[in-house]
Amino acid sequence: MPETWWRGAAIYQVYLRSFADGNGDGTGDLAGLRSRLPYLADLGINAVWLNPWYPSPMADGGYDVADYRDIEPVFGTLAEAEEFIQEAHGLGIKIIIDVVPNHSSTASAWFQEALAAEPGSPARERFWFQDEPGDWKSIFGGPAWTQVPDGQWYLHLFAPEQPDFNWTNPEVHAEFHDVLRFWFDRGVDGIRIDSAAVLVKDFDGGDPEGYTDLDEVHEIYRSWRRLADEYDERILVGEVWFPDQERFARYLRPGELHTAFNFDFLACPWEPAALRRSIEQTLDTHTPLGAPPTWVLSNHDVARVVTRYGRAETSWDHGDRRDGVPSDLELGYRRARAAALLAMALPGGVYIYQGEELGLPEVDDIPGELRQDPMWTRSSHTVPGRDGCRVPLPWSGEEPPFGFGEGEPWLPQPEDWRKLTVEAQTEDLGSMLNLYRAALSLRRDRLGDGTLTWLDLRPDVLAFTRESGLTCVVNLGSDPVRLPPHGSVLLASGSLDGEELPSDTAVWLA
């Protein structure tokens, strides 16, 4: 790959617990991932992004990190991680890992040292301890302050098991610089920064969200960028949730992050005007900065796209998850196929969440006693949370665990997933999996970084051309639309009716 591989990369997100189980304990692991590397290479992706794989009590799916310089024993060993990185590189696959700089784990050595120390001690200064609780609310629900036995309170924007770091403390800065070097030295190609905008806190301004996008956070990432630039071809990717594109763009200024997740596109409804606005706004934001946009349809925190696009309301909002809302899965599946071709045709990079290429729906009926997301417990069992998009992948066979591993999976798989296994879809030339394989193959040669030129066909149609001559047309209307002049059809998300493109269908033309 060229030096700027990340500008147009197709990046596959691996949620390790649910990808593949290599030792039969019901939880995905490095052994399972390594055994499936040929699958990822055949799929045609350029890089893999892994959710946290560090030692963790798993209070929040691994985002409560106890030790940044090792691997969670359930997943494997540090030696296995190093071997995985080398094996992936041998197949031409880059590796991006998660770093969670906002918070730690109550099981970490630093926090345990803080609990054993006196109030006001250097150990406690690494976190936010104070004598009285503040009034901030946790993003997961409930108060953001928890009391310790000696009477002080500590801040956790997320679960109580995730104490926030104090980024005014130089020790915290030094610790994360060392963590970045630790993994860059082992060949990791990129760092995805979790909750990138909330590290710095302002307790004095009276703002109930006095932790979002404060100016001082940018100096942290400028220092990280200087460190990353000491290595070849290393990148920083931000998880930055902002409707305000001007604020979002500040993270992509020269000398800060290389790219950031485009959540505006992910949250956009399946409506032509809204999608075009999102695409144009994204391109207008990124182009002056020289930064490539990214296109994301789903991830480990969001209801799966097949289910979302089958609902009457197709947008996404974390504050209104619409868990359990009825969905026309056949309609959602058709739209998800079209959306895949749209996202992969746009200029920049694209992220694919594991199972997206299989057309997996959200699993809404997980029994309450089996749910593990802290959103479920913190909401007094009123918010089901994110487990429904984290159900282990189906690989083969006619019944659970569908080739995921020998043991019972940590979350139950629906019986009707037998039609959605990798094995079943490989044999079906019209499957979602084969659509993704074909699209990713064409994308390598004809798409990725660059620009687009809009074609105005009809208000309910999105159409544009790319520098390679490829034209993408997506019909979001209720009536068929005639295709523009072209030489050949490269790929379509559904059957064409002669020269007409049906509703909720996309096509690539040459």
Side-chain angles (χ1 to χ4, degrees):
M1 280 185 261
E3 183 177 24
T4 51
W5 61 270
W6 47 275
R7 295 190 63 89
I11 301 170
Y12 187 93
Q13 181 189 351
V14 168
Y15 190 73
L16 196 53
R17 296 173 84 186
S18 299
F19 187 71
D21 174 14
N23 63 7
D25 66 357
T27 299
D29 49 36
L30 280 167
L33 175 57
R34 292 170 66 192
S35 73
R36 300 295 184 176
L37 273 173
Y39 167 79
L40 295 176
D42 290 343
L43 185 60
I45 51 94
N46 304 111
V48 164
W49 156 40
L50 291 99
N51 292 99
W53 54 1
Y54 316 103
S56 168
M58 293 292 168
D60 182 25
Y63 282 89
D64 46 323
V65 178
D67 183 355
Y68 265 114
R69 297 172 185 82
D70 205 348
I71 297 295
E72 165 59 40
V74 170
F75 296 150
T77 66
L78 181 58
E80 283 183 279
E82 293 170 340
E83 290 168 359
F84 159 71
I85 294 167
Q86 296 307 311
E87 290 166 358
H89 285 170
L91 293 171
I93 297 172
K94 303 286 189 181
I95 300 299
I96 300 169
I97 63 170
D98 248 316
V99 165
V100 190
N102 178 67
H103 49 262
S104 181
S105 164
T106 51
S108 69
W110 268 15
F111 195 76
Q112 288 298 307
E113 182 182 350
L115 289 180
E118 297 287 331
S121 64
R124 291 206 173 179
E125 289 300 316
R126 297 165 176 160
F127 303 93
W128 291 109
F129 279 87
Q130 57 187 43
D131 293 332
E132 299 292 335
D135 58 2
W136 287 357
K137 301 300 181 183
S138 164
I139 293 168
F140 284 167
W145 296 89
T146 290
Q147 193 170 30
V148 298
D150 62 24
Q152 280 206 309
W153 301 75
Y154 69 89
L155 175 70
H156 52 86
L157 289 184
F158 295 89
E161 296 85 356
Q162 296 169 290
D164 281 34
F165 285 115
N166 174 6
W167 276 91
T168 68
N169 189 327
E171 279 193 83
V172 175
H173 290 257
E175 170 72 1
F176 276 92
H177 277 217
D178 191 69
V179 166
L180 296 187
R181 290 190 186 281
F182 180 90
W183 289 108
F184 283 152
D185 288 345
R186 280 158 179 78
V188 162
D189 302 285
I191 300 295
R192 181 263 190 187
I193 306 165
D194 180 73
S195 300
V198 303
L199 277 59
V200 178
K201 292 10 183 228
D202 176 10
F203 299 105
D204 299 324
D207 186 346
E209 293 187 2
Y211 49 79
T212 301
D213 189 37
L214 301 187
D215 288 344
E216 294 84 352
V217 78
H218 294 281
E219 180 50 43
I220 296 170
Y221 296 132
R222 284 190 284 270
S223 73
W224 285 26
R225 178 63 178 264
R226 290 190 293 270
L227 189 157
D229 286 348
E230 296 176 18
Y231 296 80
D232 292 333
E233 303 180 10
R234 303 302 205 273
I235 68 164
L236 302 173
V237 183
E239 184 196 25
V240 183
W241 285 86
F242 286 140
D244 185 332
Q245 289 293 298
E246 183 176 342
R247 292 170 67 191
F248 174 86
R250 297 174 67 208
Y251 291 80
L252 300 175
R253 291 175 295 190
E256 292 197 36
L257 307 183
H258 295 80
T259 68
F261 283 86
N262 183 2
F263 292 114
D264 183 78
F265 183 75
L266 179 154
C268 196
W270 184 249
E271 298 171 2
L275 282 166
R276 178 154 177 170
R277 175 206 56 77
S278 179
I279 294 166
E280 289 179 336
Q281 184 173 273
T282 296
L283 296 175
D284 289 346
T285 298
H286 286 75
T287 300
L289 298 165
T294 62
W295 309 100
V296 187
L297 292 174
S298 63
N299 64 30
H300 64 291
D301 288 331
V302 174
R304 285 198 175 272
V305 67
V306 167
T307 298
R308 291 205 326 271
Y309 282 167
R311 291 173 177 161
E313 174 55 66
T314 55
S315 64
W316 174 256
D317 183 346
H318 274 293
D320 180 17
R321 297 180 55 87
R322 295 187 286 278
D323 297 297
V325 170
S327 175
D328 180 343
L329 294 183
E330 182 178 342
L331 175 63
Y333 183 80
R334 186 164 71 249
R335 289 173 170 174
R337 290 173 65 93
L341 293 196
L342 170 62
M344 283 192 262
L346 292 168
V350 64
Y351 281 80
I352 299 163
Y353 176 48
Q354 65 179 43
E356 198 175 294
E357 80 279 15
L358 302 178
L360 298 183
E362 185 82 354
V363 182
D364 281 328
D365 59 354
I366 298 171
E369 65 272 15
L370 298 181
R371 291 188 178 274
Q372 300 192 29
D373 190 340
M375 284 187 174
W376 172 244
T377 53
R378 296 276 290 172
S379 67
S380 299
H381 300 169
T382 60
V383 178
R386 301 159 295 177
D387 290 328
C389 65
R390 301 176 178 184
V391 173
L393 296 190
W395 292 94
S396 60
E398 295 293 318
E399 59 186 25
F402 294 122
F404 174 71
E406 295 296 325
E408 182 178 352
W410 69 281
L411 286 174
Q413 300 160 306
E415 294 278 351
D416 61 4
W417 276 15
R418 63 176 58 89
K419 302 174 183 176
L420 300 176
T421 67
V422 172
E423 180 182 59
Q425 296 201 43
T426 298
E427 300 301 318
D428 178 3
L429 295 181
S431 69
M432 182 78 89
L433 176 58
N434 280 318
L435 177 72
Y436 267 78
R437 284 174 170 163
L440 288 166
S441 177
L442 287 167
R443 190 179 185 279
R444 277 180 178 263
D445 299 328
R446 296 172 178 262
L447 298 166
D449 195 19
T451 60
L452 63 74
T453 301
W454 288 105
L455 301 175
D456 290 318
L457 301 183
R458 221 169 62 181
D460 53 6
V461 172
L462 297 180
F464 54 87
T465 61
R466 297 294 310 278
E467 298 91 332
S468 64
L470 183 147
T471 295
C472 177
V473 184
V474 188
N475 182 7
L476 291 96
S478 57
D479 299 320
V481 60
R482 189 162 185 81
L483 296 176
H486 61 278
S488 62
V489 173
L490 297 174
L491 187 62
S493 66
S495 299
L496 303 182
D497 184 7
E499 288 295 300
E500 292 196 324
L501 183 66
S503 174
D504 294 319
T505 307
V507 66
W508 288 358
L509 306 172

